[in-house]
Amino acid sequence: MKHSERTTGKLGAETGRNNANSLDLEQGQQAQHVLHTGGPFRLADIDISASGPRCKMLLGDLNGDGRAELLLVQPDDRQDVRYIPHQVQCLTAYDLSGRMLWQQGKPSLGAGSQGSDYPAQIYDIDGDGCLEVLCVMNDRFHILDGATGRIKEVHDLPDPHAHDCIIIANLSGGEHASDIILKDRYHRMWALNRKFELLWSHEGNIGHYPWASDLNGDGYDEVMAGYDLLDHRGRVLWSCRDLEDHADCIWVGDVDGDGATELVIGGSVTVMYDREGRERWRYEGSIESQHIALGRFRPELPGLQIAGLDRMIREDDGKGQKGKDALFLVDCEGKELWKEERTTSGWLTIAETLSSWRAGAPDYILAYRRGGGVYPALYDGHLNIVAEFRHEGYAVHGDLLGVGTEQVVIYDDELAVVYSGEAADLSAPPSGVPLPQPKRLYNSTLYPGGEADANLFSGA
């Protein structure tokens, strides 16, 4: 089917309306209610099949026209990524009309899957006002022109396995973050400056995706590398205590509203530390906090709330059990507000914070890859479904149109569907003013972390 046959009318089709009224959710009760909020609007269906199967999607205004493009990142053919992570073998860029802008590499039908991160990001690494694509291909680090896909620079890796993911950081203290952190699957990481000179390396239990942030306001990023906080020189400042396994996801923000930054880490449990290394609380009502997300999901409560995904029963542990997971929400003091009791199967849910679905809306929990016939959806702070996206797949989200609200893209191997909480006209010409690239989008990961404070998401 041609793209023009798949695309809805220019104002978008409203889907998923439900006349059920919302009821408050008691603690532990399964969500059964869909809010009657209108929408979501299905803005576009985009044929992405030419990018090959099992891609990860990145978002960014690659050509600076004032509207985001979609970058499909296909991994190499490696099937077992438990110890050696993926590289990238093909990149394909599309605009929101479905036009392919460029392709670098050749897609493969034998590509691996998202069992680990793909080493690619969209970021203005050289500070010239235009976005580049950073990736590891053919055992080397590549920097590509975002608008054309032309290769601008190629660098040697600091280690043959230094391609699990790419982290952008400011370790040099400049006005523009231009340092790069690379890592292997679980144990080693390397920090490099803009010239790709090695600044330092670190070995430890570094988790999936270390998060870099200036926690003390000195102009340099600290790096939460799994359970260790490093300074910008790679020295360990402090370590988390009595935590098993590894860090699955890391968030930083002023959780309790005291004016200081805290760190919330999901792993064997969900735990919050202050920036000096003092444990503030731990939530032990989860078996494996595979994902956490900070936001103002309940604006009537103080501070931020922490949504999470508890992977309760795994299907890959050799025990032959049917997998099960559950969303949960705790308050700024780590007290459980509710935990989902699923009646459907599924154990691979990913949960993220989505802000500005509509103007003035609170933050919502975007949950996808739920399994058991459950579509991707937005949940409010009471576990009511605010919007259901009737297309199964992975999800990305951002302000694609520069209008101050976020859109959601649900995609599989063949089709990317763009949804919005408000009607939008994709046939109108873009503004021509390049969209900013938020830190969340240039530190994209399969294990979403991020930065939040009481004002960032809610717009208060």
Side-chain angles (χ1 to χ4, degrees):
M1 184 179 295
K2 296 180 180 179
H3 165 74
S4 59
E5 296 173 323
R6 289 178 170 179
T7 304
T8 64
K10 67 178 183 178
L11 292 180
E14 188 176 349
T15 64
R17 293 188 71 119
N18 189 298
N19 291 323
N21 292 322
S22 169
L23 299 176
D24 285 338
L25 183 77
E26 298 298 329
Q27 183 168 322
Q29 181 182 344
Q30 173 74 23
Q32 298 291 342
H33 309 293
V34 180
L35 291 175
H36 177 62
T37 57
F41 294 88
R42 189 162 177 158
L43 300 185
D45 292 10
I46 299 172
D47 184 346
I48 57 171
S49 58
S51 57
R54 293 175 288 283
C55 289
K56 175 183 176 179
M57 182 180 291
L58 301 179
L59 301 176
D61 187 359
L62 292 172
N63 57 12
D65 66 350
R67 186 171 288 174
E69 282 74 45
L70 315 178
L71 181 68
L72 278 298
V73 181
Q74 191 188 47
D76 56 18
D77 288 356
R78 179 177 295 278
Q79 303 300 315
D80 185 351
V81 291
R82 290 175 298 171
Y83 310 109
I84 301 174
H86 283 302
Q87 297 188 39
V88 173
Q89 68 176 327
C90 186
L91 299 163
T92 310
Y94 297 88
D95 64 20
L96 293 182
S97 70
R99 180 171 61 99
M100 183 191 292
L101 301 180
W102 53 264
Q103 186 171 70
Q104 183 68 246
K106 183 178 180 180
S108 168
L109 294 178
S113 62
Q114 293 199 38
S116 69
D117 264 323
Y118 298 177
Q121 301 288 2
I122 298 175
Y123 181 62
D124 179 12
I125 190 66
D126 55 14
D128 67 351
C130 301
L131 293 177
E132 285 80 40
V133 175
L134 318 178
C135 70
V136 177
M137 300 179 73
N138 302 317
D139 300 317
R140 304 188 78 191
F141 190 94
H142 289 65
I143 300 177
L144 283 66
D145 179 85
T148 66
R150 176 182 59 86
I151 297 174
K152 298 175 66 174
E153 300 178 25
V154 180
H155 301 276
D156 293 331
L157 297 175
D159 183 90
H161 293 172
H163 51 78
D164 182 58
C165 60
I166 298 171
I167 300 147
I168 309 299
N170 187 356
L171 307 174
S172 302
E175 294 183 2
H176 180 76
S178 59
D179 303 308
I180 293 167
I181 298 174
L182 301 175
K183 63 183 284 289
D184 66 8
R185 195 69 177 98
Y186 288 110
H187 303 295
R188 296 177 297 163
M189 53 189 285
W190 298 264
L192 306 110
N193 64 17
R194 177 65 185 88
K195 298 178 181 179
F196 236 72
E197 298 167 330
L198 183 66
L199 298 175
W200 47 263
S201 62
H202 172 74
E203 187 167 347
N205 183 3
I206 60 177
H208 283 302
Y209 196 86
W211 193 264
S213 183
D214 183 4
L215 301 178
N216 57 14
D218 66 352
Y220 297 88
D221 280 347
E222 286 73 45
V223 182
M224 194 69 205
Y227 295 146
D228 297 326
L229 182 69
L230 313 180
D231 69 9
H232 67 279
R233 296 185 178 91
R235 300 176 299 190
V236 177
L237 297 175
W238 53 261
S239 300
C240 299
R241 298 170 296 279
D242 302 319
L243 294 177
E244 299 176 355
D245 300 322
H246 55 258
D248 286 309
C249 47
I250 299 166
W251 277 79
V252 300
D254 182 7
V255 175
D256 55 13
D258 65 354
T261 300
E262 288 86 33
L263 299 102
V264 184
I265 302 164
S268 56
V269 297
T270 303
V271 63
M272 186 172 90
Y273 277 77
D274 66 23
R275 64 189 183 188
E276 304 300 327
R278 292 181 289 264
E279 184 176 316
R280 300 286 294 277
W281 54 256
R282 65 173 57 196
Y283 168 67
E284 296 185 292
S286 60
I287 296 170
E288 180 188 354
S289 293
Q290 180 70 16
H291 299 284
I292 56 173
L294 272 59
R296 291 295 299 276
F297 307 112
R298 297 276 290 270
E300 76 277 9
L301 299 180
L304 301 174
Q305 295 79 52
I306 297 91
L309 188 283
D310 183 12
R311 186 171 285 176
M312 302 165 70
I313 302 174
R314 302 181 67 104
E315 287 188 5
D316 62 353
D317 58 6
K319 297 180 180 180
Q321 296 177 293
K322 193 171 185 178
K324 182 179 181 180
D325 63 23
L327 297 169
F328 64 84
L329 188 71
V330 301
D331 66 13
C332 65
E333 297 179 342
K335 297 177 181 178
E336 184 179 294
L337 297 172
W338 50 257
K339 188 170 184 179
E340 183 183 31
E341 295 181 359
R342 288 194 69 171
T343 57
T344 55
S345 62
W347 65 286
L348 295 172
T349 300
I350 297 176
E352 302 185 36
T353 302
L354 188 141
S355 61
S356 301
W357 174 241
R358 292 187 177 91
D363 304 326
Y364 294 132
I365 303 162
L366 171 62
Y368 54 98
R369 208 175 64 161
R370 303 230 64 191
V374 180
Y375 282 114
L378 294 180
Y379 298 82
D380 69 10
H382 298 274
L383 197 51
N384 297 310
I385 294 176
V386 176
E388 185 178 70
F389 308 113
R390 292 184 172 271
H391 183 71
E392 185 55 64
Y394 281 84
V396 291
H397 60 98
D399 184 0
L400 308 182
L401 309 177
V403 294
T405 57
E406 289 202 348
Q407 294 75 49
V408 174
V409 185
I410 308 293
Y411 65 98
D412 56 24
D413 289 348
E414 303 288 332
L415 189 68
V417 183
V418 182
Y419 293 96
S420 177
E422 299 175 343
D425 186 355
L426 293 187
S427 68
S431 68
V433 179
L435 297 180
Q437 185 73 342
K439 185 172 183 177
R440 179 182 63 81
L441 292 184
Y442 67 75
N443 281 285
S444 177
T445 171
L446 183 63
Y447 312 92
E451 299 181 1
D453 60 42
N455 297 320
L456 178 61
F457 288 113
S458 63

